[in-house]
Amino acid sequence: MSTPQQKFPPDIPTDMPTPARMYDYCLGGKDNFAVDREAVLAVNKNFPEGVDVARQNRLFLYRVVRFLAQEAGIDQFLDLGSGLPTQHNVHQVAQQFQPGAHVVYVDNDPIVLAHGRALLADNDATTVITADLTEPREILARPDVAQLIDFTRPVAALFLSVPHSIPDDHTLRDTLSTVTRALTPGSFVALSQAAGVDEEAAQENTELATSLGLAWKTRTVAEFTALVAELGLEPVEPGLIDVNDWRPDPDQPPLAPVDAPLRPYVGAVTGAKRVMELGGVLRKP
């Protein structure tokens, strides 16, 4: 049901790329525009690992949600910065291993709301809302969140491929810590961030993304590791690492193939990456 703050159908800007639609294109999706496709190609000309990193993050999402639902027994998921519905969405994976699991998707891209509503029309255990992630208190106070998420019980809060879209370090700290404080002990936080192996790679990647009109900050591996440590959570093995190496599973469901212009970039970088998706799962003690 729409609210006064959520015009429906929403206005969908097509003159600037958005992270959600660029990510969709990397995953073989069709919910993107020429401006998004051009932006993805521009990124990959300078960082040819870009498509692989995006796809590795989506495969990481599957393994993370499977772990949380199947091994940790979590049946409530707050997916912050969820992106467009695509393959192996959080609710589909969670409900496969925890039937009846509740999922709230949150994103600030209006196209996510439009497509999410169509996908979830018949799923009473899942909803999608449009909100600004940098206003976590407003998100946590929303009635449509409270309808599905009981914060007196363990919850999994997901910030997958999200922190780099919050370039101000103070704002990111506030966002992560506010949500973490709202979680009861035994809850989990899963997160991943575009991370450069050194300051030069991080700065170059940030400048490229911002030149395309994106709100973005690629942090170094050291910077993001230190920022996450401030949350005071317990890392789940194997800790905060390149998401491609987080509990790899060669038998997990594959992703759809990419569009023809992106195919040369799939598997293009066989050695060390200059930029990776750094991520992991942490438990609130």
PDB file of all heavy atoms in Angstrom, residues 179-194:
ATOM      1  N   VAL A 179      21.531   1.150  13.195  1.00  0.00           N
ATOM      2  CA  VAL A 179      20.849  -0.121  12.934  1.00  0.00           C
ATOM      3  C   VAL A 179      21.371  -1.203  13.875  1.00  0.00           C
ATOM      4  O   VAL A 179      20.592  -1.983  14.441  1.00  0.00           O
ATOM      5  CB  VAL A 179      21.029  -0.535  11.461  1.00  0.00           C
ATOM      6  CG1 VAL A 179      20.464  -1.940  11.230  1.00  0.00           C
ATOM      7  CG2 VAL A 179      20.347   0.471  10.535  1.00  0.00           C
ATOM      8  N   THR A 180      22.676  -1.244  14.078  1.00  0.00           N
ATOM      9  CA  THR A 180      23.253  -2.264  14.961  1.00  0.00           C
ATOM     10  C   THR A 180      22.703  -2.143  16.376  1.00  0.00           C
ATOM     11  O   THR A 180      22.379  -3.154  17.022  1.00  0.00           O
ATOM     12  CB  THR A 180      24.787  -2.144  14.971  1.00  0.00           C
ATOM     13  OG1 THR A 180      25.287  -2.385  13.650  1.00  0.00           O
ATOM     14  CG2 THR A 180      25.398  -3.152  15.934  1.00  0.00           C
ATOM     15  N   ARG A 181      22.584  -0.914  16.887  1.00  0.00           N
ATOM     16  CA  ARG A 181      22.049  -0.724  18.242  1.00  0.00           C
ATOM     17  C   ARG A 181      20.606  -1.200  18.348  1.00  0.00           C
ATOM     18  O   ARG A 181      20.159  -1.623  19.423  1.00  0.00           O
ATOM     19  CB  ARG A 181      22.146   0.740  18.649  1.00  0.00           C
ATOM     20  CG  ARG A 181      23.555   1.208  18.991  1.00  0.00           C
ATOM     21  CD  ARG A 181      23.529   2.559  19.715  1.00  0.00           C
ATOM     22  NE  ARG A 181      22.908   3.590  18.895  1.00  0.00           N
ATOM     23  CZ  ARG A 181      23.570   4.376  18.054  1.00  0.00           C
ATOM     24  NH1 ARG A 181      24.872   4.219  17.888  1.00  0.00           N
ATOM     25  NH2 ARG A 181      22.938   5.319  17.366  1.00  0.00           N
ATOM     26  N   ALA A 182      19.853  -1.137  17.257  1.00  0.00           N
ATOM     27  CA  ALA A 182      18.447  -1.545  17.285  1.00  0.00           C
ATOM     28  C   ALA A 182      18.279  -3.055  17.317  1.00  0.00           C
ATOM     29  O   ALA A 182      17.178  -3.548  17.604  1.00  0.00           O
ATOM     30  CB  ALA A 182      17.715  -0.976  16.069  1.00  0.00           C
ATOM     31  N   LEU A 183      19.345  -3.789  17.034  1.00  0.00           N
ATOM     32  CA  LEU A 183      19.253  -5.240  16.958  1.00  0.00           C
ATOM     33  C   LEU A 183      19.462  -5.878  18.326  1.00  0.00           C
ATOM     34  O   LEU A 183      20.311  -5.458  19.113  1.00  0.00           O
ATOM     35  CB  LEU A 183      20.318  -5.782  15.994  1.00  0.00           C
ATOM     36  CG  LEU A 183      20.289  -5.229  14.566  1.00  0.00           C
ATOM     37  CD1 LEU A 183      21.441  -5.817  13.750  1.00  0.00           C
ATOM     38  CD2 LEU A 183      18.944  -5.529  13.899  1.00  0.00           C
ATOM     39  N   THR A 184      18.708  -6.920  18.596  1.00  0.00           N
ATOM     40  CA  THR A 184      18.863  -7.669  19.832  1.00  0.00           C
ATOM     41  C   THR A 184      20.084  -8.576  19.737  1.00  0.00           C
ATOM     42  O   THR A 184      20.491  -8.964  18.624  1.00  0.00           O
ATOM     43  CB  THR A 184      17.591  -8.494  20.120  1.00  0.00           C
ATOM     44  OG1 THR A 184      17.625  -8.992  21.459  1.00  0.00           O
ATOM     45  CG2 THR A 184      17.469  -9.671  19.166  1.00  0.00           C
ATOM     46  N   PRO A 185      20.716  -8.932  20.866  1.00  0.00           N
ATOM     47  CA  PRO A 185      21.830  -9.888  20.816  1.00  0.00           C
ATOM     48  C   PRO A 185      21.425 -11.182  20.102  1.00  0.00           C
ATOM     49  O   PRO A 185      20.293 -11.646  20.234  1.00  0.00           O
ATOM     50  CB  PRO A 185      22.140 -10.134  22.297  1.00  0.00           C
ATOM     51  CG  PRO A 185      21.748  -8.848  22.971  1.00  0.00           C
ATOM     52  CD  PRO A 185      20.514  -8.391  22.233  1.00  0.00           C
ATOM     53  N   GLY A 186      22.354 -11.724  19.345  1.00  0.00           N
ATOM     54  CA  GLY A 186      22.057 -12.897  18.528  1.00  0.00           C
ATOM     55  C   GLY A 186      21.674 -12.541  17.107  1.00  0.00           C
ATOM     56  O   GLY A 186      21.487 -13.427  16.267  1.00  0.00           O
ATOM     57  N   SER A 187      21.565 -11.229  16.839  1.00  0.00           N
ATOM     58  CA  SER A 187      21.299 -10.761  15.488  1.00  0.00           C
ATOM     59  C   SER A 187      22.598 -10.722  14.686  1.00  0.00           C
ATOM     60  O   SER A 187      23.701 -10.878  15.232  1.00  0.00           O
ATOM     61  CB  SER A 187      20.670  -9.367  15.518  1.00  0.00           C
ATOM     62  OG  SER A 187      19.401  -9.384  16.127  1.00  0.00           O
ATOM     63  N   PHE A 188      22.462 -10.471  13.381  1.00  0.00           N
ATOM     64  CA  PHE A 188      23.625 -10.449  12.497  1.00  0.00           C
ATOM     65  C   PHE A 188      23.594  -9.203  11.613  1.00  0.00           C
ATOM     66  O   PHE A 188      22.520  -8.687  11.283  1.00  0.00           O
ATOM     67  CB  PHE A 188      23.638 -11.681  11.594  1.00  0.00           C
ATOM     68  CG  PHE A 188      23.910 -12.978  12.312  1.00  0.00           C
ATOM     69  CD1 PHE A 188      22.889 -13.657  12.961  1.00  0.00           C
ATOM     70  CD2 PHE A 188      25.195 -13.512  12.356  1.00  0.00           C
ATOM     71  CE1 PHE A 188      23.130 -14.853  13.631  1.00  0.00           C
ATOM     72  CE2 PHE A 188      25.451 -14.698  13.028  1.00  0.00           C
ATOM     73  CZ  PHE A 188      24.414 -15.378  13.659  1.00  0.00           C
ATOM     74  N   VAL A 189      24.767  -8.753  11.233  1.00  0.00           N
ATOM     75  CA  VAL A 189      24.939  -7.708  10.230  1.00  0.00           C
ATOM     76  C   VAL A 189      25.828  -8.280   9.129  1.00  0.00           C
ATOM     77  O   VAL A 189      26.912  -8.791   9.415  1.00  0.00           O
ATOM     78  CB  VAL A 189      25.583  -6.441  10.821  1.00  0.00           C
ATOM     79  CG1 VAL A 189      25.894  -5.435   9.712  1.00  0.00           C
ATOM     80  CG2 VAL A 189      24.678  -5.812  11.874  1.00  0.00           C
ATOM     81  N   ALA A 190      25.349  -8.221   7.885  1.00  0.00           N
ATOM     82  CA  ALA A 190      26.144  -8.635   6.736  1.00  0.00           C
ATOM     83  C   ALA A 190      26.368  -7.414   5.869  1.00  0.00           C
ATOM     84  O   ALA A 190      25.437  -6.642   5.617  1.00  0.00           O
ATOM     85  CB  ALA A 190      25.426  -9.733   5.946  1.00  0.00           C
ATOM     86  N   LEU A 191      27.588  -7.231   5.402  1.00  0.00           N
ATOM     87  CA  LEU A 191      27.877  -6.032   4.628  1.00  0.00           C
ATOM     88  C   LEU A 191      29.027  -6.277   3.662  1.00  0.00           C
ATOM     89  O   LEU A 191      29.821  -7.197   3.838  1.00  0.00           O
ATOM     90  CB  LEU A 191      28.165  -4.840   5.543  1.00  0.00           C
ATOM     91  CG  LEU A 191      29.432  -4.776   6.385  1.00  0.00           C
ATOM     92  CD1 LEU A 191      29.453  -3.450   7.172  1.00  0.00           C
ATOM     93  CD2 LEU A 191      29.582  -5.923   7.357  1.00  0.00           C
ATOM     94  N   SER A 192      29.044  -5.463   2.608  1.00  0.00           N
ATOM     95  CA  SER A 192      30.150  -5.510   1.658  1.00  0.00           C
ATOM     96  C   SER A 192      30.302  -4.138   1.024  1.00  0.00           C
ATOM     97  O   SER A 192      29.338  -3.385   0.900  1.00  0.00           O
ATOM     98  CB  SER A 192      29.935  -6.590   0.595  1.00  0.00           C
ATOM     99  OG  SER A 192      28.778  -6.346  -0.184  1.00  0.00           O
ATOM    100  N   GLN A 193      31.521  -3.827   0.627  1.00  0.00           N
ATOM    101  CA  GLN A 193      31.895  -2.493   0.152  1.00  0.00           C
ATOM    102  C   GLN A 193      32.961  -2.621  -0.927  1.00  0.00           C
ATOM    103  O   GLN A 193      33.863  -3.446  -0.828  1.00  0.00           O
ATOM    104  CB  GLN A 193      32.431  -1.687   1.340  1.00  0.00           C
ATOM    105  CG  GLN A 193      33.599  -0.752   1.073  1.00  0.00           C
ATOM    106  CD  GLN A 193      33.189   0.706   0.924  1.00  0.00           C
ATOM    107  OE1 GLN A 193      32.321   1.194   1.645  1.00  0.00           O
ATOM    108  NE2 GLN A 193      33.818   1.409  -0.004  1.00  0.00           N
ATOM    109  N   ALA A 194      32.874  -1.796  -1.972  1.00  0.00           N
ATOM    110  CA  ALA A 194      33.942  -1.709  -2.956  1.00  0.00           C
ATOM    111  C   ALA A 194      35.187  -1.191  -2.262  1.00  0.00           C
ATOM    112  O   ALA A 194      35.171  -0.114  -1.662  1.00  0.00           O
ATOM    113  CB  ALA A 194      33.535  -0.782  -4.096  1.00  0.00           C
TER     114      ALA A 194
END
